[in-house]
Amino acid sequence: MSWRSTTANARLPDPIAEADGLIADGRAREAAALLKNLIEAGRGGLLARLRLARALDAAGDNGAALAVARETALLHPNISLVAAALGEALLGGGRLPTAIGEFQRALRLDPDNAEARLGLGRAWLDAGEPEKALEAFDAIADEDARVWAAPKIAEAHAMRAAPRSNARYVRHLFDQFSTDYDARMIGQLGYRAPAILRELFDLTIAADGLSILDLGCGTGLSGEAFRDAAARLDGIDLSPAMIAKARARGIYDDLRVADLETTLDGARAYDLILAADTLVYFGDLAAVFKGAVRSLAPGGNFLFTVEKADGDGFELGPKRRWRHSQAYLRAQAGHAGFEISGFVDCVPRSEAGVPVEGYAVALAKPDRFAKSAE
């Protein structure tokens, strides 16, 4: 539904205003049928095409909406409203980078296009970028559009204050990086987190035939480092594109697109849980540690890397990656019921050629967690 008022609709040609009313009433399929008939009869111009894309999207047929919006953009490439409509259709299909690009193009064509600014803010919010979303919302001059944006502005402020990286941001980030992730991480950033965890594993556990869960498995670099120790190897990641890359390795028994903070429910008990360069997207680790305890068998182990912070808590670094202090990690491990079996300084990666200081940690779930009934 558009933010545009019904008084504006009253000035539109009758069939267009009728279609807008149908969309507003939740009757988008009827609106789409009306507009298709209008266009096929040769009485539908640009406005009819724009409304048809909106109606199809509202009816849940994003593929058809996108086809109409793209055709309209080819016919009218330099009209801001058309670019904004294409941005809406792309946004409805979850195509965030191209949606953002179209909204930005619409604003280059007409900086006063409030609909494009609202769409751009919503797209940045869906990408988990609250600062960029607020920048777009703040630039809206139209009062009606600002009222419409108010709930999204509140959502952006809440997202910015959260003690973890937004799941949508992480998914968007790694979907974009998936194509050349391995080459970028290993070749450019000297990524060693999986190898560091394997070294820590060999020093503290050195077992095989394990049931292993790889948190934030990415393309499968950690799974590859631990496959020989696994009787079963499962992985979860927020990014569908990264999961697809991991599946192509053929080393995992099960892969899921999931948020580790909500998926560690204890439905399956693992002997080992890995999190290589994953907890840097969480500030407060209390929920993650409690979930890891639930999902480990008694005597199981949780191995992870983090980036190092001074002091007693955690902080968000300039690259939007969270850092954790040794004091905080030890305290949270104790609160969750873990015992610390390994805690070493390490350099899991570099940034602009500068080593990033971190910790590699091994936590053990004591046997006392076995149910007394057993």
Side-chain angles (χ1 to χ4, degrees):
M1 187 188 304
S2 172
W3 58 267
R4 293 187 184 279
S5 67
T6 55
T7 56
N9 287 345
R11 295 192 297 270
L12 295 171
D14 288 344
I16 305 300
E18 183 181 351
D20 279 351
L22 289 170
I23 295 170
D25 289 341
R27 299 160 64 189
R29 292 191 183 281
E30 293 178 46
L34 169 68
L35 292 162
K36 284 180 182 177
N37 290 336
L38 192 67
I39 293 169
E40 288 171 0
R43 296 188 295 113
L46 175 59
L47 284 178
R49 289 180 177 276
L50 294 178
R51 292 306 194 278
L52 176 58
R54 180 183 297 166
L56 289 167
D57 201 31
D61 193 350
N62 180 257
L66 189 53
V68 170
R70 282 178 168 154
E71 182 183 13
T72 307
L74 288 173
L75 293 170
H76 306 278
N78 297 316
I79 296 178
S80 179
L81 288 175
V82 174
L86 179 53
E88 284 290 342
L90 289 164
L91 181 59
R95 297 168 173 84
L96 291 176
T98 47
I100 289 167
E102 282 302 311
F103 287 129
Q104 290 172 331
R105 187 170 74 87
L107 289 168
R108 287 195 296 272
L109 291 167
D110 178 9
D112 295 327
N113 187 336
E115 195 157 0
R117 290 208 181 276
L118 181 58
L120 181 60
R122 289 167 43 236
W124 280 126
L125 198 57
D126 280 0
E129 297 273 10
E131 292 85 1
K132 293 179 179 179
L134 289 169
E135 182 180 345
F137 292 140
D138 287 345
I140 296 173
D142 186 281
E143 289 301 321
D144 289 336
R146 288 192 64 82
V147 170
W148 191 271
K152 292 296 183 180
I153 292 171
E155 184 181 342
H157 282 296
M159 185 185 296
R160 188 167 60 176
R164 58 164 286 180
S165 297
N166 182 266
R168 288 176 287 181
Y169 162 74
V170 177
R171 173 177 174 168
H172 181 229
L173 178 70
F174 285 98
D175 277 349
Q176 288 184 298
F177 284 167
S178 62
T179 303
D180 63 347
Y181 178 82
D182 290 4
R184 181 192 297 256
M185 293 298 289
I186 297 170
Q188 297 179 20
L189 302 179
Y191 179 58
R192 291 197 68 253
I196 290 168
L197 288 186
R198 183 58 197 246
E199 292 165 7
L200 183 59
F201 170 84
D202 291 339
L203 286 171
T204 58
I205 302 168
D208 56 19
L210 303 177
S211 176
I212 301 176
L213 176 62
D214 186 4
L215 299 179
C217 63
T219 62
L221 293 174
S222 292
E224 202 167 60
F226 281 85
R227 179 67 256 191
D228 66 313
R232 179 184 179 90
L233 178 62
D234 296 341
I236 65 171
D237 200 280
L238 274 171
S239 165
M242 297 292 265
I243 286 287
K245 291 286 186 179
R247 185 169 286 115
R249 289 186 188 271
I251 61 173
Y252 288 92
D253 296 288
D254 183 64
L255 287 163
R256 286 176 293 152
V257 176
D259 187 323
L260 67 88
E261 215 174 38
T262 56
T263 198
L264 294 174
D265 55 8
R268 177 184 292 274
Y270 292 93
D271 302 309
L272 176 64
I273 295 177
L274 307 170
D277 206 39
T278 299
L279 302 189
V280 295
Y281 296 103
F282 295 83
D284 184 354
L285 295 178
V288 175
F289 280 17
K290 288 177 183 176
V293 166
R294 281 195 300 269
S295 300
L296 283 169
N301 294 271
F302 181 27
L303 271 61
F304 60 87
T305 60
V306 294
E307 294 182 6
K308 184 185 297 187
D310 297 325
D312 296 325
F314 55 86
E315 64 187 20
L316 186 61
K319 296 295 183 178
R320 296 187 65 180
R321 294 161 60 87
W322 295 90
R323 301 165 175 166
H324 300 85
S325 72
Q326 181 171 169
Y328 175 81
L329 293 170
R330 289 183 179 275
Q332 289 300 318
H335 292 329
F338 279 118
E339 293 176 351
I340 297 173
S341 53
F343 204 118
V344 297
D345 291 327
C346 69
V347 177
R349 58 181 281 164
S350 297
E351 191 71 57
V354 178
V356 175
E357 295 184 356
Y359 298 116
V361 183
L363 304 180
K365 177 177 177 175
D367 288 333
R368 67 175 180 269
F369 275 84
K371 293 180 181 178
S372 57
E374 298 173 344

